[in-house]
Amino acid sequence: MGTCIVIPAFNEELTIKSVVSDLVELDMPVFVVDDGSIDGTRDMSEKAGARVIHHSHNLGNGAALKSGLQHTFESGFNDVVTLDADGAHRSEDVKVVISAHRENKANLTIGSRFLREASQSIPSPKVDANRFAISSFNLIFGAKQTDVASGFRVLDRKAFSVTPMESSFSWTFGCLAACLREGLTVCEAPIGVRYDAQELWATSQGELEDFLNFCSQEAISLKPPIEALKQAINEGRICSVRVGMQDIFIHPLPASRHVIFQVQNQWHGAIPLGLERVDFDAAFEEAAD
């Protein structure tokens, strides 16, 4: 049956209509998984031309993706494109990613935000947060991915079948890890993004904790430094993490349960006293010896 598009959405009434309207112009079926929204997400999606899969209550990003992917593959689609509902992804990149997926005969293709100059549109704290995730992931898996957290992807049935379905944001990392572990063909394609710097200057502590838990499960040797890092963040202390031969500061904001990432060479001012230092590189290398 070809290719369709799946968009997980939770309380995205302000953006979902324009996102779907742009995508239906591509002449591909668009499915929105309304993950228990309490606003007008479902109504706006249907008005824009999407088919809506509805959750009665919020189950999480991974569960929403599972519902959408399972439904579309069971309906006979061969490949499924996933995108975010917040308008960050551009409809004009869909065919670029699909083309790369087909040309490389890939099982999983990731739309990478860091393969071309479009990455300049991403707020610098977001770039540094992704640098931390990419470096940590590549350290664990010996990979050379340029983007591990992008929600813009194309999956085939095989990639879906090997992916553990988590309810949290760690699904994005688990999907890529499972495909690499199983020896499936993974490729990347360049995409552009549209971000609101007012909203993305910080990363939620919950998302960071999901990723750190994923790393602990995949690399036991990283569990001690990860536990030290989590404790320091919970206590509101600034941390320095050595990963991928670079030092990245993590500045917790306890009142809002967010963190700010910044690479050390872009840090302005004196190094904070009592800085918690953890070294992923050293822990991983010691375990390998």
Side-chain angles (χ1 to χ4, degrees):
M1 285 181 63
T3 305
C4 69
I5 297 169
V6 167
I7 307 169
F10 176 62
N11 292 342
E12 297 284 3
E13 68 175 1
L14 297 180
T15 56
I16 194 65
K17 185 175 181 179
S18 61
V19 169
V20 172
S21 296
D22 288 344
L23 292 171
V24 295
E25 296 296 323
L26 300 176
D27 292 325
M28 279 184 277
V30 178
F31 295 82
V32 171
V33 183
D34 174 20
D35 190 28
S37 299
I38 58 174
D39 63 0
T41 294
R42 182 177 186 175
D43 184 51
M44 293 293 184
S45 300
E46 290 174 338
K47 285 181 178 178
R51 308 175 195 181
V52 177
I53 301 166
H54 180 66
H55 288 173
S56 59
H57 58 282
N58 182 245
L59 299 177
N61 185 68
L65 282 165
K66 179 181 179 180
S67 292
L69 292 168
Q70 187 168 339
H71 176 83
T72 50
F73 281 123
E74 288 179 352
S75 298
F77 290 97
N78 298 318
D79 297 300
V80 179
V81 180
T82 65
L83 298 109
D84 294 346
D86 60 3
H89 297 144
R90 310 184 310 179
S91 60
E92 57 263 38
D93 287 330
V94 170
K95 291 187 176 180
V96 173
V97 179
I98 291 174
S99 178
H101 185 74
R102 291 173 178 168
E103 287 175 7
N104 289 280
K105 298 181 180 179
N107 302 108
L108 170 67
T109 300
I110 297 176
S112 174
R113 297 161 289 180
F114 306 106
L115 279 177
R116 66 183 186 195
E117 290 303 314
S119 64
Q120 298 302 315
S121 66
I122 306 175
S124 58
K126 188 74 172 176
V127 173
D128 291 342
N130 277 277
R131 184 177 285 120
F132 172 76
I134 294 163
S135 298
S136 300
F137 185 97
N138 286 341
L139 173 69
I140 294 170
F141 292 96
K144 296 181 179 179
Q145 301 298 132
T146 67
D147 197 339
V148 299
S150 174
F152 196 152
R153 301 178 173 211
V154 186
L155 300 85
D156 67 6
R157 293 172 181 272
K158 199 164 188 179
F160 175 64
S161 70
V162 303
T163 300
M165 287 296 160
E166 306 289 343
S167 62
S168 66
F169 280 94
S170 64
W171 181 90
T172 57
F173 311 112
C175 173
L176 176 56
C179 289
L180 292 173
R181 190 181 294 113
E182 294 295 325
L184 302 189
T185 301
V186 176
C187 74
E188 296 181 326
I191 62 168
V193 283
R194 297 178 294 239
Y195 279 134
D196 183 346
Q198 297 296 320
E199 296 180 357
L200 291 172
W201 59 280
T203 299
S204 79
Q205 191 170 327
E207 287 185 45
L208 174 59
E209 289 173 352
D210 281 345
F211 178 66
L212 292 176
N213 290 337
F214 164 80
C215 291
S216 291
Q217 293 170 3
E218 295 292 339
I220 295 175
S221 62
L222 293 184
K223 190 167 184 178
I226 284 175
E227 290 304 312
L229 175 59
K230 288 164 68 174
Q231 181 176 343
I233 290 172
N234 286 330
E235 293 174 356
R237 291 185 284 128
I238 299 174
C239 312
S240 173
V241 183
R242 180 74 175 174
V243 59
M245 297 186 292
Q246 61 189 335
D247 295 296
I248 300 177
F249 285 137
I250 303 178
H251 193 304
L253 305 172
S256 64
R257 282 189 57 80
H258 282 73
V259 296
I260 299 174
F261 289 82
Q262 192 168 32
V263 295
Q264 184 171 336
N265 62 11
Q266 294 178 1
W267 182 269
H268 301 293
I271 302 299
L273 294 175
L275 181 74
E276 179 72 27
R277 296 182 183 272
V278 298
D279 194 329
F280 285 9
D281 288 347
F284 198 79
E285 289 170 8
E286 287 175 10
D289 289 341

